[in-house]
Amino acid sequence: MADTTQPIPANAAVDPSRRNLLKTVGITAAAFGAASAFGRPLRAQSSDWDKTFPQSDAVEHSKVEFTNRYGITLVGDLYTPAERPSDAMPALAVAGPFGAVKEQAAGLYAQTMAERGFVTLAFDPSYVGESGGQPRSVASPDINTEDFMAAVDFLGLHEGVDRERIGIIGICGFGGMALNAVAADKRVKAVATTSMYDMSRVMAKGYYDSLTDEQRAAGLEQMSRQRWEDAASSEPALAGGLPDSLDGIDDPVIRMYHAYYKDSERGYHPRSVNSNDGWTVTNPLSFMNMPLLTYIDEISPRPMLVIAGSEAHSRYFSEDAVAAAAEPKELMIIEGADHVDLYDQVNIIPFDKLQSFFEEHLVA
């Protein structure tokens, strides 16, 4: 376990307004005009390359579908090394960030790890992107944890995968979901996270646990009454996404997320939650009373690797998760990196470390 002594940078002020908090967290969502049947993908699938990163000649890519325990159809991108051994291979399920789609950071991680000898599956979680579920633009600590387990189901049934050598990578808010999934799913042999967020903690308590009891109660009051508005409407109200312009906005966290999700040359994607119009107003309700990392110590004796940037506003989530976990565990701090750098900056993301970690621990 790495020693980290640098203080957490206090560069993200907490807005007492619940709606502004959601924007600051970066949990914004895409609103879609087309409806889909419950449990079916939102749109027709295509294997055309529509990612935010270049396609690798060393990897084969295909679109796949699988179903979670709640009957929701999930859509993923399966990446396999173009030159595969005859034996079954180790595999990784990859998801995140919270509000992103598989064409963004998760796909970059998956393709890169496939280049390094793994079968990888980057998938859209329920209610997001090309995956099924109605209504759109919602998340769940339970269902999204289950999404990881369903990805393990799929990989374990794939003929090219050694089902005794499956790991998970969770990015940002799906880092917390990944840790929660592995605590329960004993099939997973190792887990790694980057720029990890504990979504239940930040929604319930605000950044650095600074939300007062009065502010928490006011937020719950607002969302509770919003349920009547949504029930009377044809579709739930949206909280609003990242602003199109940064004019007059000084908040460093909003500016950081904007630089990734709104930049067409970097991370913008038309299906991405965070690139577009916002989660539902009531999205935090289930997270606020259901702590994700309650049983994090039950990941042991399987290893966990937690990676965070030294300048990330979210760094404390990683530090606290590692402190609460049992051995074996490792905290890796990337000097000079902020939260979003670990989404797409390939010269900063420690892929060598991820490769060696999973090669060492994904053993039959």
Side-chain angles (χ1 to χ4, degrees):
M1 176 176 167
D3 177 28
T4 57
T5 56
Q6 179 173 334
I8 300 168
N11 61 349
V14 177
D15 191 314
S17 161
R18 169 60 54 177
R19 179 171 299 199
N20 286 341
L21 172 63
L22 296 179
K23 290 180 182 179
T24 302
V25 173
I27 47 177
T28 51
F32 296 90
S36 68
F38 178 81
R40 297 304 304 165
L42 188 67
R43 59 188 293 275
Q45 306 308 311
S46 170
S47 292
D48 293 342
W49 192 257
D50 57 353
K51 323 305 178 191
T52 60
F53 50 90
Q55 187 169 14
S56 171
D57 294 334
V59 172
E60 294 180 357
H61 160 263
S62 61
K63 192 68 65 74
V64 299
E65 294 184 1
F66 54 100
T67 304
N68 72 11
R69 187 166 57 91
Y70 295 103
I72 299 173
T73 299
L74 304 180
V75 178
D77 287 311
L78 187 70
Y79 297 89
T80 56
E83 297 184 7
R84 296 188 293 274
S86 57
D87 295 337
M89 301 175 62
L92 300 169
V94 188
F98 192 78
V101 288
K102 63 189 179 303
E103 290 77 16
Q104 296 171 309
L108 172 63
Y109 273 68
Q111 179 176 259
T112 304
M113 295 305 289
E115 290 177 324
R116 292 165 179 258
F118 300 85
V119 175
T120 61
L121 173 64
F123 63 91
D124 285 331
S126 298
Y127 311 109
V128 170
E130 294 182 313
S131 287
Q134 288 289 341
R136 307 306 296 172
S137 305
V138 292
S140 162
D142 180 19
I143 295 174
N144 293 151
T145 295
E146 158 62 22
D147 291 340
F148 265 119
M149 297 183 184
V152 174
D153 294 343
F154 174 87
L155 289 170
L157 295 176
H158 191 284
E159 62 181 7
V161 170
D162 181 346
R163 65 167 56 177
E164 301 303 324
R165 302 170 67 196
I166 296 176
I168 281 178
I169 297 175
I171 307 164
C172 183
F174 274 81
M177 246 79 80
L179 297 177
N180 194 39
V182 176
D185 194 333
K186 305 306 181 183
R187 299 172 299 176
V188 181
K189 295 298 177 66
V191 58
T193 70
T194 57
S195 293
M196 194 274 289
Y197 253 76
D198 179 346
M199 296 308 306
S200 55
R201 179 179 175 183
V202 75
M203 290 192 193
K205 300 180 179 181
Y207 280 120
Y208 308 107
D209 303 336
S210 62
L211 202 68
T212 66
D213 290 344
E214 292 76 16
Q215 288 168 340
R216 172 183 164 85
L220 287 168
E221 173 77 19
Q222 174 193 351
M223 287 183 284
S224 297
R225 293 189 172 276
Q226 182 64 44
R227 291 181 64 102
W228 275 325
E229 299 293 329
D230 291 350
S233 177
S234 60
E235 58 186 31
L238 297 176
L242 290 167
D244 291 331
S245 171
L246 289 175
D247 291 345
I249 296 176
D250 297 324
D251 189 301
V253 178
I254 293 179
R255 298 185 71 89
M256 176 198 66
Y257 282 124
H258 189 282
Y260 178 77
Y261 286 110
K262 289 293 189 177
D263 187 345
S264 61
E265 299 299 318
R266 188 177 178 189
Y268 176 82
H269 196 278
R271 287 192 297 272
S272 169
V273 170
N274 290 341
S275 289
N276 296 285
D277 295 333
W279 291 111
T280 63
V281 171
T282 58
N283 191 51
L285 278 171
S286 59
F287 285 92
M288 291 179 73
N289 281 0
M290 298 182 187
L292 279 165
L293 302 185
T294 301
Y295 299 102
I296 190 172
D297 60 326
E298 295 185 6
I299 293 174
S300 176
R302 296 159 298 158
M304 58 180 280
L305 170 64
V306 177
I307 303 166
S310 66
E311 307 309 307
H313 68 285
S314 58
R315 173 177 168 175
Y316 73 104
F317 291 124
S318 294
E319 294 177 330
D320 289 355
V322 171
E327 296 287 352
K329 57 187 178 181
E330 181 178 357
L331 176 63
M332 182 179 189
I333 300 298
I334 307 301
E335 290 301 324
D338 69 19
H339 179 87
V340 171
D341 285 336
L342 297 179
Y343 288 5
D344 67 335
Q345 300 301 298
V346 294
N347 60 321
I348 293 176
I349 300 169
F351 284 118
D352 288 344
K353 176 65 175 181
L354 287 165
Q355 179 181 351
S356 63
F357 172 77
F358 285 114
E359 285 178 344
E360 177 182 357
H361 296 296
L362 295 188
V363 293

